[in-house]
Amino acid sequence: MKHAFSILLTMCVLMIVGAALITRLDVSDQPRPRQGRTLTVTFGWNGASAKVLEQEVTSRVEGVVGMVNGVASVSSESNFGHGRVEIRLKPEASVSSVKFEVASLLRQLRDKLPPGVSYPQLAGGEVVTRSSGDYDQPILTYHINADMPDREIRKLVERQVKPYLMRVDGVRTVDVSGGSDLEMEVAYDADLLSNYGITAGDLADAIRSYLGRENVVGDAYRHDSEGNLSRITLFLKVDGDKIDFESIPVVTVGEKIIYLNNLATCSFKEKVPHFFYRVNGMNTVYLTVYAEENVNINKVAAQVKTIIDDSGEVNGRSLYFTCDTDRAKERFSEFQVLIRRSAISLVILLLFVFLCKRDWKYLFIVAVSLLANLLLAVICYDLFDMRLEPFSMAGVTISLGLIIDSTIVMVDHYSYHHDHRAFTGIMAAMLTTIGSLIIVFWLPDSMKDSLYDFAWMIIVNLAVALLVSALFVPALVTRMNYSCRKAGSPRNLRIILLWNRFYRGYMRVAQHRILRWPIMLAFFGLFGWTLCLFLDTVNKSHYEREKREVKLYISGKMPVGGTAAQLNEKVLDVEAFLSTFKEIKHFESYVSDGGAQMMVEFTDEAQNTSFPYKLENKTIGKLVSIGGADWATHGVSERGFSNSLNLQYRSQQIVIAGYDYDQLYRYAEIMQKKMKENPRVVDLVIRNVGEGEQEQELYMEYDREKLTAYGMNVNEMYGRMASILSEYYVGRKGNTDIVLRPHQYNSFDQWQMENSFLKLQDREVRLSDFMNISQREAKKSIKRENQEYVITLAFNVLGSYNYTYNIVRRYMEEFDAMMPVGFRCLQNEYRFDEEENQQYLLLGLVAIIIFFICSIVFESLYKALVIILLIPISMVGAFLVYHFGGVEFGLGGFAALVLLSGLTVNAGIYLMNEYNNNGKNYLRAYNHKIIPILLTVLSTVLGLVPFVFDQDENHFWYSFAMGSIGGLLFSLLALVFAMPVFTPSRRSQKKGKG
């Protein structure tokens, strides 16, 4: 080969460059973030109801943004005092230009909105990752111990450790929780204040006046020493530290001064927390670190750990940090498994190459060519800014076998013939594989997100393999003077002769003008039979997302008026129960005023046993025994458990839409009444799309006539109740908060509110005589989708899947007929059929792409058709694996079918290329190429073997590997026995020429 030395020297330089760029590779557990296609407009209007806000603001914003080019759909939500509009863009729309146009329109609309409406804020369109389900979970959690009270530990960490952690690039926020601060409670008697004619506000103003204030009270004029008039700021400062706090004068009644200690008692107490966070039920100080969504959390976690390791001693005080959770390490475990899998695959492939040839020179050529491929690919990764994450790393592992395929074919051909005619077949094989992967970019988003980086990584590696096999491999074979020609007789000559005799006889039958047709029908019949078996095995659920680790989630919620501290007492009881099980690896508890969330993780040994289900049942029994709260569980069994309508899971829903909200809600109530007549329809509620139950509140409906008759003032009544039910933050004395709180604060419940007498205008009155106190939904919101109001009826149906489907369908048809024009039922169910049709159509597109590539390469439509016919016959192996092997199909199975469409034709392309080059002698071409073809197919199969051992860890890769291996092995049978049937015989070719 000419210029062999120059080519080798150039490739060596490029390999050195690639090796130097390895340290610059972007390695992460998440794919590179991509441009978001959703914009959000938010606005507020204090005191405005949801209905007024929707009519005056939300509808106007929707109308303006809906006319912008590139907008696919618009949805909105109007709540009490605030609202939002969500804009989803078309795939081809430019996010930046649409965002600019929407911002301009909002600026023009601002002056037309009612007074008091805030300026509409536009956000969104940023880059987002494929999956953000773990975005709100911390990457690191530490509990901290020290020889000091918890509150001092927390303050020390907040002052000395937290600021350094926040400076780490990629850290979103750092929370330090645990340890309650002290506060000064000023407890007063509301009745005593009423006797003196004092309100809680008067008491708060008196305390603030004497706490010590610094205020600018105005300006003053003065003459300087030269007589010039100047204006200076008058600054008033009151030093409250010199005043005895309890001796603060509050008010003068007659000639008597009433002091604070006459009305209230002052004491230091621990603050009642509004949020609790614990790991494994341990009550201590916790440091939790949250990362940004699009960063390499492994690097972020490493920097955070370095800072924490250096923070063992702060200001002479020793702090002991213990890591409870390291999600960065957990999320990188799959990536580490893939690295080990790649190493194992590489060792297996090289060992296989050596055992087949038993030639160290041959092994050296293959190994160096593979190294050149990988190092040149590193240059492409850096040039195209590609990220190595689990799916892309799997693409690298799989492409190792494909790279070795091209190397083996070129080494065998060039060392024997010393020409580049085999490159045509290699190029066609690579292009068909790349063509099959291109359809990934047209898949539905739910599938494309998982396979996007995987496909790109294989495409780049195959493109590099083309360059290496065309230039580097021939140059290396030339310089090493390697030849595959062996002196003497080949090993196992007798077996080879017997096989050739049998195969020559089979070819006479397979290419007979009459007998070939029954053989063709047999192959197509085999394909049809296995396809039917495969379709019986596959069902819609196989396209759901990959199964996650089994975790038990527990939710708790207090009734109206409940606090986080009260709920925390009940959660502590649950934590004590969970701590008795050694099969639990880890559990976390989050408690706030809005409710409690607990997450229970199991040990690896318990994951695949019945223990999670047993624990769920025992936990349900424990939750039922804890009164005073609503509980729910999910994550283990399909339906879970709930003892509350607020937390009940509802599997079925009917969405209705219309142009008038009030009328639409009336139709929803009619539908609800009708459906309640069926005893199998349970847990029926009306709610907004995508929401659970609304929060509840106590609602006071005043009797205006009675208030007027008795001369009562609503504001005075409200102020009297506020003095009993409200607490006031007054200010700070030193580092301690001062809180004004009535004695009746924790004991004045709804019953006392309805039956107690309060002093108003020198007389005792009972509130229930002037108002009706009841519960109602606190936050009523109004939702619209594309200018239509939408409401959901959510419910459960007791019955089989077919009964549920039929009853929901019947109700929808009945209600559709009942409602007038402008109102309709929307089918709110998962629609897999359209996606499945699209996927199978895309498999047909793969065949078309391969057909045109082969037609161009071989300059024959018939030969291209022969190659295409190998695809369905090779698929028989994959179909049999999924049916008889009990392998779950899923997304991994579909990926296997896509890749098989490109891989199974490679062997046929190599053989057809040799067939064209040696004078149309099929048997000679077969004898010359069958060994390299066997090596290439088996090397690809061996490269997939490490994925087979992930059955329990990762269903995607197990399904992918098993389907691919089955299809590739059966492709050998298709090549040997089916391809001669479809290939034109020399007799038919001569007749055609004649």
Side-chain angles (χ1 to χ4, degrees), residues 416-443:
Y416 191 90
H417 295 287
H418 297 287
D419 58 44
H420 284 79
R421 288 187 297 175
F423 181 73
T424 303
I426 294 174
M427 181 180 66
M430 293 297 185
L431 289 178
T432 55
T433 306
I434 293 174
S436 66
L437 292 171
I438 286 177
I439 70 161
V440 168
F441 308 124
W442 285 285
L443 288 174

Side-chain angles (χ1 to χ4, degrees), residues 675-801:
M675 294 174 68
K676 282 184 176 180
E677 297 175 359
N678 188 337
R680 289 195 175 189
V681 178
V682 296
D683 307 327
L684 181 60
V685 295
I686 300 174
R687 66 188 186 193
N688 285 318
V689 176
E691 287 187 354
E693 288 290 308
Q694 303 288 342
E695 294 289 336
Q696 299 292 311
E697 67 179 1
L698 293 178
Y699 172 67
M700 294 174 290
E701 185 178 1
Y702 296 98
D703 189 334
R704 302 287 180 178
E705 294 182 0
K706 278 190 177 182
L707 289 174
T708 304
Y710 284 89
M712 303 297 297
N713 186 289
V714 174
N715 291 332
E716 184 180 356
M717 188 177 293
Y718 173 78
R720 184 72 179 92
M721 286 189 293
S723 66
I724 299 175
L725 299 174
S726 302
E727 62 179 1
Y728 301 88
Y729 171 76
V730 180
R732 294 178 66 86
K733 182 175 177 61
N735 294 322
T736 306
D737 292 337
I738 300 175
V739 179
L740 192 61
R741 188 177 291 131
H743 287 303
Q744 301 92 332
Y745 182 74
N746 292 320
S747 60
F748 200 79
D749 56 15
Q750 183 178 351
W751 186 91
Q752 289 187 331
M753 185 184 299
E754 293 176 342
N755 297 279
S756 297
F757 286 84
L758 300 179
K759 187 175 181 181
L760 292 172
Q761 299 179 353
D762 298 328
R763 56 181 169 177
E764 300 285 337
V765 298
R766 188 169 59 182
L767 295 179
S768 58
D769 294 335
F770 298 92
M771 66 180 69
N772 180 33
I773 303 174
S774 59
Q775 288 191 17
R776 71 172 184 182
E777 291 182 350
K779 298 178 180 178
K780 195 68 178 178
S781 62
I782 300 175
K783 284 196 171 184
R784 294 212 303 180
E785 293 281 349
N786 294 323
Q787 307 292 315
E788 284 185 313
Y789 298 100
V790 286
I791 295 177
T792 299
L793 280 86
F795 54 94
N796 288 316
V797 179
L798 304 179
S800 65
Y801 172 81

Side-chain angles (χ1 to χ4, degrees), residues 793-812:
L793 280 86
F795 54 94
N796 288 316
V797 179
L798 304 179
S800 65
Y801 172 81
N802 289 332
Y803 175 80
T804 301
Y805 178 82
N806 292 330
I807 195 69
V808 172
R809 176 68 60 186
R810 182 167 64 84
Y811 278 133
M812 290 180 62

Side-chain angles (χ1 to χ4, degrees), residues 431-485:
L431 289 178
T432 55
T433 306
I434 293 174
S436 66
L437 292 171
I438 286 177
I439 70 161
V440 168
F441 308 124
W442 285 285
L443 288 174
D445 290 340
S446 59
M447 303 178 71
K448 181 176 70 176
D449 289 344
S450 297
L451 300 175
Y452 186 87
D453 294 330
F454 171 76
W456 265 121
M457 196 62 64
I458 296 180
I459 289 173
V460 169
N461 288 343
L462 294 186
V464 172
L466 273 177
L467 176 65
V468 172
S469 61
L471 299 177
F472 183 70
V473 172
L476 195 60
V477 170
T478 301
R479 297 299 297 182
M480 295 190 66
N481 197 25
Y482 174 77
S483 176
C484 66
R485 295 176 183 268

Side-chain angles (χ1 to χ4, degrees), residues 87-258:
I87 308 163
R88 288 176 289 276
L89 308 184
K90 296 178 181 178
E92 68 275 8
S94 171
V95 177
S96 56
S97 61
V98 172
K99 191 172 183 179
F100 177 78
E101 186 173 355
V102 171
S104 302
L105 292 173
L106 292 176
R107 192 178 301 111
Q108 298 172 16
L109 180 67
R110 174 65 183 90
D111 296 333
K112 301 177 183 178
L113 298 178
V117 178
S118 65
Y119 189 88
Q121 301 292 324
L122 178 62
E126 295 85 5
V127 290
V128 294
T129 56
R130 177 179 63 203
S131 174
S132 56
D134 297 332
Y135 178 63
D136 291 328
Q137 293 187 346
I139 59 170
L140 290 169
T141 302
Y142 289 87
H143 74 262
I144 310 167
N145 297 318
D147 189 16
M148 63 182 84
D150 287 348
R151 71 176 65 91
E152 294 186 18
I153 297 175
R154 180 171 56 79
K155 291 180 179 178
L156 184 62
V157 172
E158 286 180 339
R159 291 195 305 265
Q160 302 296 333
V161 180
K162 181 178 177 179
Y164 293 99
L165 297 178
M166 290 297 296
R167 296 174 191 171
V168 175
D169 188 24
V171 170
R172 175 165 60 94
T173 184
V174 177
D175 289 339
V176 184
S177 59
S180 299
D181 288 332
L182 291 178
E183 66 179 8
M184 178 184 286
E185 181 188 66
V186 180
Y188 64 88
D189 188 338
D191 295 331
L192 184 60
L193 291 185
S194 180
N195 291 336
Y196 282 107
I198 303 173
T199 65
D202 297 331
L203 198 61
D205 290 339
I207 295 174
R208 291 191 186 101
S209 299
Y210 285 87
L211 275 179
R213 296 185 300 178
E214 296 180 355
N215 299 99
V216 176
V217 296
D219 294 333
Y221 294 91
R222 72 183 182 94
H223 293 276
D224 56 18
S225 58
E226 298 180 357
N228 298 322
L229 184 65
S230 61
R231 187 174 67 177
I232 61 173
T233 301
L234 184 61
F235 187 76
L236 177 64
K237 181 178 181 181
V238 180
D239 190 356
D241 292 335
K242 296 181 179 180
I243 302 173
D244 184 8
F245 186 79
E246 295 187 349
S247 300
I248 294 175
V250 177
V251 71
T252 301
V253 178
E255 297 181 355
K256 181 180 179 182
I257 300 176
I258 307 298

Side-chain angles (χ1 to χ4, degrees), residues 703-981:
D703 189 334
R704 302 287 180 178
E705 294 182 0
K706 278 190 177 182
L707 289 174
T708 304
Y710 284 89
M712 303 297 297
N713 186 289
V714 174
N715 291 332
E716 184 180 356
M717 188 177 293
Y718 173 78
R720 184 72 179 92
M721 286 189 293
S723 66
I724 299 175
L725 299 174
S726 302
E727 62 179 1
Y728 301 88
Y729 171 76
V730 180
R732 294 178 66 86
K733 182 175 177 61
N735 294 322
T736 306
D737 292 337
I738 300 175
V739 179
L740 192 61
R741 188 177 291 131
H743 287 303
Q744 301 92 332
Y745 182 74
N746 292 320
S747 60
F748 200 79
D749 56 15
Q750 183 178 351
W751 186 91
Q752 289 187 331
M753 185 184 299
E754 293 176 342
N755 297 279
S756 297
F757 286 84
L758 300 179
K759 187 175 181 181
L760 292 172
Q761 299 179 353
D762 298 328
R763 56 181 169 177
E764 300 285 337
V765 298
R766 188 169 59 182
L767 295 179
S768 58
D769 294 335
F770 298 92
M771 66 180 69
N772 180 33
I773 303 174
S774 59
Q775 288 191 17
R776 71 172 184 182
E777 291 182 350
K779 298 178 180 178
K780 195 68 178 178
S781 62
I782 300 175
K783 284 196 171 184
R784 294 212 303 180
E785 293 281 349
N786 294 323
Q787 307 292 315
E788 284 185 313
Y789 298 100
V790 286
I791 295 177
T792 299
L793 280 86
F795 54 94
N796 288 316
V797 179
L798 304 179
S800 65
Y801 172 81
N802 289 332
Y803 175 80
T804 301
Y805 178 82
N806 292 330
I807 195 69
V808 172
R809 176 68 60 186
R810 182 167 64 84
Y811 278 133
M812 290 180 62
E813 293 175 354
E814 180 181 346
F815 297 143
D816 262 331
M818 175 193 72
M819 291 186 292
V821 176
F823 298 86
R824 60 196 177 101
C825 290
L826 303 178
Q827 187 173 2
N828 192 44
E829 62 182 11
Y830 298 103
R831 306 179 67 89
F832 291 101
D833 295 338
E834 295 179 3
E835 292 190 356
E836 287 180 5
N837 292 336
Q838 182 180 355
Q839 292 153 17
Y840 288 119
L841 288 175
L842 290 175
L843 286 177
L845 177 61
V846 171
I848 294 174
I849 293 173
I850 295 174
F851 177 78
F852 281 108
I853 292 174
C854 294
S855 300
I856 295 171
V857 171
F858 299 128
E859 298 180 351
S860 170
L861 295 178
Y862 185 81
K863 292 177 181 177
L865 182 61
V866 171
I867 300 298
I868 291 298
L869 291 176
L870 294 177
I871 297 177
I873 299 174
S874 301
M875 292 290 183
V876 170
F879 295 161
L880 293 175
V881 167
Y882 289 121
H883 181 75
F884 293 106
V887 180
E888 181 182 346
F889 184 66
L891 181 60
F894 182 79
L897 295 184
V898 173
L899 196 62
L900 280 174
S901 301
L903 291 181
T904 55
V905 300
N906 289 354
I909 290 173
Y910 295 143
L911 185 55
M912 187 64 74
N913 186 60
E914 183 66 23
Y915 174 76
N916 287 340
N917 292 335
N918 69 7
K920 305 293 191 297
N921 188 320
Y922 187 86
L923 187 60
R924 186 189 304 167
Y926 169 84
N927 286 329
H928 189 75
K929 282 298 180 185
I930 190 60
I931 298 300
I933 287 173
L934 283 173
L935 292 179
T936 57
V937 173
L938 292 178
S939 64
T940 306
V941 169
L942 291 174
L944 292 167
V945 167
F947 291 88
V948 176
F949 301 104
D950 280 348
Q951 180 177 6
D952 297 329
E953 297 180 8
N954 197 314
H955 295 283
F956 175 89
W957 296 120
Y958 178 74
S959 176
F960 174 80
M962 290 298 294
S964 300
I965 290 174
L968 286 170
L969 292 178
F970 206 87
S971 70
L972 290 176
L973 298 178
L975 179 78
V976 174
F977 295 105
M979 191 169 175
V981 179

Side-chain angles (χ1 to χ4, degrees), residues 35-75:
Q35 180 75 56
R37 310 202 68 81
T38 301
L39 304 179
T40 304
V41 181
T42 56
F43 42 83
W45 190 3
N46 290 333
S49 66
K51 190 171 184 178
V52 172
L53 187 72
E54 194 278 327
Q55 292 175 346
E56 298 293 333
V57 184
T58 309
S59 59
R60 296 186 182 184
V61 174
E62 276 191 280
V64 167
V65 302
M67 297 184 297
V68 177
N69 289 331
V71 173
S73 62
V74 179
S75 60

